[in-house]
Amino acid sequence: MHPFLKACRREPTAFTPVWLMRQAGRYLPEYRALRARRGFLELCRDPDAAAEVTVTAVGRLGVDAAILFADILLVLEPMGVGLEYSRGDGPVIQRPVRTAEDVARLPEVLPEEAVPFVFETAKRARAALDGKVPLIGFAGAPFTLAAYLIEGGGSRDWLRAKRLMHGEPGAWHALLDKLARLTARYLNGQIAAGVEVVQLFDTWVGCLAPAAYRELVLPHTRAVIQGLAPGVPVIHFGTGTAGLLELMREAGGDVIGLDWRVDLGEAWARLGPGVGVQGNLDPAALLAPPAEIRRQARAILERAAGRLGHIFNLGHGVLPETPVEHVIALVEAVHELSRR
Ligand code: CP3
């Protein structure tokens, strides 16, 4: 079995497996060349081109896992909310969901019909990888999807989302319930198409109070994870989650993703035994020279202290300004320093 899959199951590995969130993204010259000619959505809808992005990144970096080329917001587009990726400003949702009526009006979407290209991409990427490294599928968690749907795009404090969450809990639960069912179906479709591990991105959940997470988010995230085909490891990731780690573990996942704002050793002690950890180098560390990258990688490996189930990753995605050679230096350093 491949080291990445073993680590997801907390089995011993000869070295610590490493991959990077957003490893198939704008810091890669090959990706920028493709994007110069075509829009992001157009690329996602072309399974051959999207599979190629996945495979090119793996070949270039020497990482231990591949990630499907897609986006967490793609499943929202068929709801008719007007999803667009405008150059530079990140994603925009032109008709955001703001009221209980908006929530009630959202159509029930079947991913197999609405985003068949994602499953086709997964099939082709899996075939093209030819068993070299496992393929990771992914989706947004209900909270993070709802946050984008309500705000209409990214936000610093997610106040519109919180207004609905605290002010109209009935509508909030109805929305998250809908998104949880959609997400479970979407991930099960990816699993049927050949992804071997899934990552649930609750990127912005760290903006919540623990009590709000427990009552208004946790049941929905748990429903997604419990609705997945058995036997496929789940990585449950968020940023700014120092106050939520125990609750995220309660929601589920075989591996918990950590950002760089927590000490990996302390966080793992809090999570307790029986769970893996993914992380947690600051993406900005990759802007430093390779010697410094190596020093910080070693420090994180020391914090993991040989526990079973560590997957090395950044605490969030690769920054677009990152030199490719620095990413390669990180991957080599992790392999070399962790060899047992
Ligand atoms: O290597 C990979 O991880 C590829 C697949 C992937 C993308 N998006 C491609 C993408 C994954 C796993 C995502 C997840 C995603 N998308 C998240 C969760 C993780 C995170 O980074 O927080 C979120 C919040 C989104 C929503 C999203 N999509 C944003 C905020 C943006 C714009 C800003 C940015 O970071 O690029 C996107 C666009 C996007 N998704 C791009 C890529 C390669 C850039 C599009 C372009 O080429 O212009």
Short mmCIF file of all heavy atoms in Angstrom, two decimals, residues 96-100 102-103 143 146-147 150-151 155 157-173 175-176 207-208 212 216:
data_model
loop_
_atom_site.label_atom_id
_atom_site.label_comp_id
_atom_site.label_asym_id
_atom_site.label_seq_id
_atom_site.Cartn_x
_atom_site.Cartn_y
_atom_site.Cartn_z
N PRO A 96 -26.52 35.98 -4.21
CA PRO A 96 -26.30 35.32 -2.93
C PRO A 96 -27.61 34.95 -2.23
O PRO A 96 -28.67 35.51 -2.53
CB PRO A 96 -25.52 36.35 -2.12
CG PRO A 96 -25.54 37.62 -2.85
CD PRO A 96 -26.01 37.37 -4.24
N VAL A 97 -27.50 34.02 -1.30
CA VAL A 97 -28.64 33.53 -0.52
C VAL A 97 -28.65 34.31 0.79
O VAL A 97 -27.72 34.21 1.57
CB VAL A 97 -28.42 32.02 -0.24
CG1 VAL A 97 -29.45 31.48 0.73
CG2 VAL A 97 -28.45 31.25 -1.55
N ARG A 98 -29.69 35.14 1.00
CA ARG A 98 -29.65 36.00 2.19
C ARG A 98 -30.79 35.77 3.16
O ARG A 98 -30.71 36.16 4.32
CB ARG A 98 -29.65 37.49 1.75
CG ARG A 98 -28.45 37.92 0.93
CD ARG A 98 -27.32 38.35 1.85
NE ARG A 98 -26.02 38.38 1.15
CZ ARG A 98 -25.56 39.38 0.41
NH1 ARG A 98 -26.28 40.46 0.26
NH2 ARG A 98 -24.38 39.30 -0.14
N THR A 99 -31.90 35.18 2.69
CA THR A 99 -33.11 35.09 3.52
C THR A 99 -33.63 33.66 3.57
O THR A 99 -33.20 32.81 2.78
CB THR A 99 -34.23 35.96 2.91
OG1 THR A 99 -34.58 35.39 1.62
CG2 THR A 99 -33.80 37.40 2.71
N ALA A 100 -34.59 33.43 4.45
CA ALA A 100 -35.22 32.10 4.54
C ALA A 100 -35.89 31.75 3.20
O ALA A 100 -35.86 30.59 2.78
CB ALA A 100 -36.26 32.10 5.67
N ASP A 102 -34.88 32.74 0.22
CA ASP A 102 -33.79 32.35 -0.69
C ASP A 102 -33.39 30.89 -0.45
O ASP A 102 -33.15 30.15 -1.40
CB ASP A 102 -32.55 33.23 -0.48
CG ASP A 102 -32.76 34.68 -0.91
OD1 ASP A 102 -33.71 34.95 -1.66
OD2 ASP A 102 -31.96 35.54 -0.47
N VAL A 103 -33.31 30.51 0.81
CA VAL A 103 -32.92 29.13 1.15
C VAL A 103 -33.96 28.16 0.60
O VAL A 103 -33.61 27.16 -0.04
CB VAL A 103 -32.77 28.94 2.68
CG1 VAL A 103 -32.54 27.46 3.02
CG2 VAL A 103 -31.63 29.81 3.23
N PHE A 143 -20.48 24.42 6.33
CA PHE A 143 -20.34 25.80 6.81
C PHE A 143 -19.64 26.69 5.79
O PHE A 143 -20.11 27.79 5.47
CB PHE A 143 -19.56 25.88 8.14
CG PHE A 143 -19.25 27.31 8.49
CD1 PHE A 143 -20.22 28.12 9.07
CD2 PHE A 143 -18.03 27.89 8.15
CE1 PHE A 143 -19.97 29.47 9.33
CE2 PHE A 143 -17.78 29.23 8.39
CZ PHE A 143 -18.76 30.02 8.99
N ALA A 146 -21.81 27.40 2.80
CA ALA A 146 -22.88 28.35 3.15
C ALA A 146 -22.34 29.76 3.28
O ALA A 146 -22.96 30.73 2.85
CB ALA A 146 -23.55 27.91 4.46
N ALA A 147 -21.14 29.87 3.86
CA ALA A 147 -20.54 31.19 4.05
C ALA A 147 -20.35 31.90 2.71
O ALA A 147 -20.71 33.08 2.57
CB ALA A 147 -19.21 31.05 4.80
N ILE A 150 -23.85 32.83 1.12
CA ILE A 150 -24.55 33.94 1.78
C ILE A 150 -23.83 35.27 1.52
O ILE A 150 -24.45 36.27 1.19
CB ILE A 150 -24.70 33.67 3.29
CG1 ILE A 150 -25.57 32.43 3.51
CG2 ILE A 150 -25.30 34.89 3.99
CD1 ILE A 150 -25.51 31.87 4.93
N GLU A 151 -22.49 35.26 1.65
CA GLU A 151 -21.74 36.50 1.45
C GLU A 151 -21.71 36.92 -0.02
O GLU A 151 -21.61 38.10 -0.33
CB GLU A 151 -20.30 36.34 1.94
CG GLU A 151 -20.14 36.09 3.43
CD GLU A 151 -20.47 37.30 4.29
OE1 GLU A 151 -20.43 38.45 3.77
OE2 GLU A 151 -20.77 37.09 5.47
N SER A 155 -14.85 36.89 2.52
CA SER A 155 -15.15 37.93 3.49
C SER A 155 -14.14 37.86 4.62
O SER A 155 -13.57 36.79 4.88
CB SER A 155 -16.56 37.73 4.05
OG SER A 155 -16.75 38.49 5.23
N ASP A 157 -14.94 38.82 7.93
CA ASP A 157 -15.61 38.43 9.18
C ASP A 157 -16.90 37.62 8.99
O ASP A 157 -17.50 37.20 9.96
CB ASP A 157 -15.90 39.67 10.03
CG ASP A 157 -16.43 40.81 9.17
OD1 ASP A 157 -17.02 40.52 8.10
OD2 ASP A 157 -16.27 41.98 9.55
N TRP A 158 -17.31 37.42 7.74
CA TRP A 158 -18.46 36.57 7.42
C TRP A 158 -19.71 37.01 8.19
O TRP A 158 -20.49 36.19 8.69
CB TRP A 158 -18.12 35.08 7.69
CG TRP A 158 -16.89 34.64 6.99
CD1 TRP A 158 -15.64 34.56 7.51
CD2 TRP A 158 -16.76 34.25 5.59
NE1 TRP A 158 -14.74 34.14 6.53
CE2 TRP A 158 -15.40 33.95 5.37
CE3 TRP A 158 -17.67 34.15 4.52
CZ2 TRP A 158 -14.92 33.53 4.12
CZ3 TRP A 158 -17.18 33.72 3.29
CH2 TRP A 158 -15.82 33.43 3.11
N LEU A 159 -19.93 38.32 8.27
CA LEU A 159 -21.02 38.84 9.10
C LEU A 159 -22.41 38.52 8.55
O LEU A 159 -23.33 38.27 9.30
CB LEU A 159 -20.88 40.36 9.25
CG LEU A 159 -19.91 40.81 10.33
CD1 LEU A 159 -19.99 42.33 10.50
CD2 LEU A 159 -20.20 40.10 11.65
N ARG A 160 -22.55 38.53 7.22
CA ARG A 160 -23.87 38.20 6.66
C ARG A 160 -24.22 36.75 6.97
O ARG A 160 -25.35 36.43 7.28
CB ARG A 160 -23.89 38.45 5.16
CG ARG A 160 -23.83 39.91 4.78
CD ARG A 160 -24.08 40.04 3.28
NE ARG A 160 -23.96 41.41 2.82
CZ ARG A 160 -22.82 41.93 2.34
NH1 ARG A 160 -21.72 41.19 2.29
NH2 ARG A 160 -22.79 43.17 1.93
N ALA A 161 -23.22 35.89 6.85
CA ALA A 161 -23.45 34.48 7.16
C ALA A 161 -23.83 34.32 8.63
O ALA A 161 -24.78 33.60 8.99
CB ALA A 161 -22.22 33.65 6.83
N LYS A 162 -23.11 35.03 9.50
CA LYS A 162 -23.41 34.93 10.94
C LYS A 162 -24.77 35.53 11.27
O LYS A 162 -25.45 35.07 12.19
CB LYS A 162 -22.31 35.62 11.75
CG LYS A 162 -21.00 34.85 11.77
CD LYS A 162 -20.00 35.51 12.72
CE LYS A 162 -18.69 34.75 12.74
NZ LYS A 162 -17.74 35.34 13.70
N ARG A 163 -25.17 36.56 10.52
CA ARG A 163 -26.49 37.15 10.78
C ARG A 163 -27.59 36.11 10.54
O ARG A 163 -28.50 35.96 11.35
CB ARG A 163 -26.70 38.37 9.88
CG ARG A 163 -28.11 38.97 10.03
CD ARG A 163 -28.31 40.18 9.14
NE ARG A 163 -27.54 41.30 9.61
CZ ARG A 163 -26.84 42.12 8.83
NH1 ARG A 163 -26.83 41.95 7.52
NH2 ARG A 163 -26.19 43.13 9.35
N LEU A 164 -27.49 35.38 9.44
CA LEU A 164 -28.49 34.34 9.18
C LEU A 164 -28.37 33.22 10.22
O LEU A 164 -29.36 32.73 10.75
CB LEU A 164 -28.34 33.78 7.76
CG LEU A 164 -29.47 32.82 7.34
CD1 LEU A 164 -30.72 33.60 6.92
CD2 LEU A 164 -29.05 31.90 6.20
N MET A 165 -27.14 32.83 10.52
CA MET A 165 -26.91 31.72 11.45
C MET A 165 -27.50 31.99 12.83
O MET A 165 -28.21 31.16 13.40
CB MET A 165 -25.39 31.48 11.56
CG MET A 165 -25.00 30.27 12.36
SD MET A 165 -23.20 30.05 12.37
CE MET A 165 -22.83 31.04 13.78
N HIS A 166 -27.23 33.19 13.36
CA HIS A 166 -27.71 33.51 14.70
C HIS A 166 -29.14 34.02 14.69
O HIS A 166 -29.89 33.82 15.64
CB HIS A 166 -26.82 34.57 15.36
CG HIS A 166 -25.43 34.09 15.66
ND1 HIS A 166 -25.16 33.05 16.52
CD2 HIS A 166 -24.23 34.49 15.19
CE1 HIS A 166 -23.86 32.85 16.58
NE2 HIS A 166 -23.26 33.71 15.78
N GLY A 167 -29.51 34.70 13.61
CA GLY A 167 -30.82 35.37 13.59
C GLY A 167 -31.95 34.49 13.11
O GLY A 167 -33.09 34.65 13.53
N GLU A 168 -31.64 33.56 12.20
CA GLU A 168 -32.68 32.69 11.67
C GLU A 168 -32.18 31.25 11.65
O GLU A 168 -31.93 30.69 10.57
CB GLU A 168 -33.06 33.13 10.25
CG GLU A 168 -33.69 34.51 10.21
CD GLU A 168 -34.38 34.76 8.88
OE1 GLU A 168 -35.42 34.11 8.63
OE2 GLU A 168 -33.85 35.56 8.12
N PRO A 169 -32.03 30.68 12.85
CA PRO A 169 -31.44 29.33 12.91
C PRO A 169 -32.23 28.28 12.12
O PRO A 169 -31.62 27.34 11.60
CB PRO A 169 -31.44 29.00 14.41
CG PRO A 169 -32.26 30.05 15.08
CD PRO A 169 -32.30 31.24 14.18
N GLY A 170 -33.53 28.49 11.97
CA GLY A 170 -34.32 27.52 11.19
C GLY A 170 -33.86 27.51 9.73
O GLY A 170 -33.63 26.45 9.15
N ALA A 171 -33.73 28.70 9.17
CA ALA A 171 -33.28 28.81 7.77
C ALA A 171 -31.85 28.31 7.64
O ALA A 171 -31.48 27.66 6.66
CB ALA A 171 -33.39 30.26 7.30
N TRP A 172 -31.02 28.64 8.64
CA TRP A 172 -29.63 28.19 8.64
C TRP A 172 -29.53 26.67 8.58
O TRP A 172 -28.82 26.09 7.76
CB TRP A 172 -28.90 28.73 9.88
CG TRP A 172 -27.52 28.21 10.03
CD1 TRP A 172 -27.12 27.16 10.81
CD2 TRP A 172 -26.34 28.67 9.35
NE1 TRP A 172 -25.77 26.94 10.67
CE2 TRP A 172 -25.27 27.84 9.79
CE3 TRP A 172 -26.09 29.69 8.42
CZ2 TRP A 172 -23.97 28.03 9.33
CZ3 TRP A 172 -24.80 29.86 7.96
CH2 TRP A 172 -23.75 29.04 8.41
N HIS A 173 -30.28 26.00 9.49
CA HIS A 173 -30.23 24.54 9.51
C HIS A 173 -30.77 23.95 8.20
O HIS A 173 -30.24 22.95 7.71
CB HIS A 173 -30.98 23.98 10.71
CG HIS A 173 -30.19 24.03 11.99
ND1 HIS A 173 -29.01 23.35 12.16
CD2 HIS A 173 -30.40 24.70 13.15
CE1 HIS A 173 -28.53 23.59 13.39
NE2 HIS A 173 -29.36 24.41 14.00
N LEU A 175 -30.53 25.29 5.27
CA LEU A 175 -29.49 25.48 4.26
C LEU A 175 -28.36 24.45 4.45
O LEU A 175 -27.93 23.80 3.49
CB LEU A 175 -28.94 26.91 4.35
CG LEU A 175 -27.75 27.24 3.43
CD1 LEU A 175 -28.11 27.04 1.97
CD2 LEU A 175 -27.27 28.67 3.66
N LEU A 176 -27.88 24.31 5.69
CA LEU A 176 -26.77 23.38 5.91
C LEU A 176 -27.18 21.93 5.67
O LEU A 176 -26.38 21.11 5.22
CB LEU A 176 -26.15 23.57 7.30
CG LEU A 176 -24.93 24.52 7.22
CD1 LEU A 176 -25.38 25.95 6.98
CD2 LEU A 176 -24.00 24.38 8.39
N CYS A 207 -13.75 31.12 12.25
CA CYS A 207 -14.34 32.40 12.67
C CYS A 207 -15.44 32.20 13.71
O CYS A 207 -15.98 33.18 14.24
CB CYS A 207 -14.89 33.18 11.46
SG CYS A 207 -16.39 32.46 10.76
N LEU A 208 -15.77 30.95 14.03
CA LEU A 208 -16.91 30.69 14.92
C LEU A 208 -16.52 30.46 16.37
O LEU A 208 -15.44 29.93 16.67
CB LEU A 208 -17.67 29.44 14.44
CG LEU A 208 -18.35 29.54 13.09
CD1 LEU A 208 -19.03 28.20 12.77
CD2 LEU A 208 -19.35 30.68 13.05
N ALA A 212 -21.20 27.90 19.00
CA ALA A 212 -21.91 28.02 17.72
C ALA A 212 -21.55 26.85 16.81
O ALA A 212 -22.41 26.27 16.14
CB ALA A 212 -21.57 29.35 17.05
N LEU A 216 -24.54 24.59 15.58
CA LEU A 216 -25.03 25.02 14.27
C LEU A 216 -24.25 24.46 13.08
O LEU A 216 -24.67 24.61 11.94
CB LEU A 216 -25.02 26.56 14.22
CG LEU A 216 -25.97 27.21 15.25
CD1 LEU A 216 -25.50 28.60 15.65
CD2 LEU A 216 -27.40 27.26 14.71
#
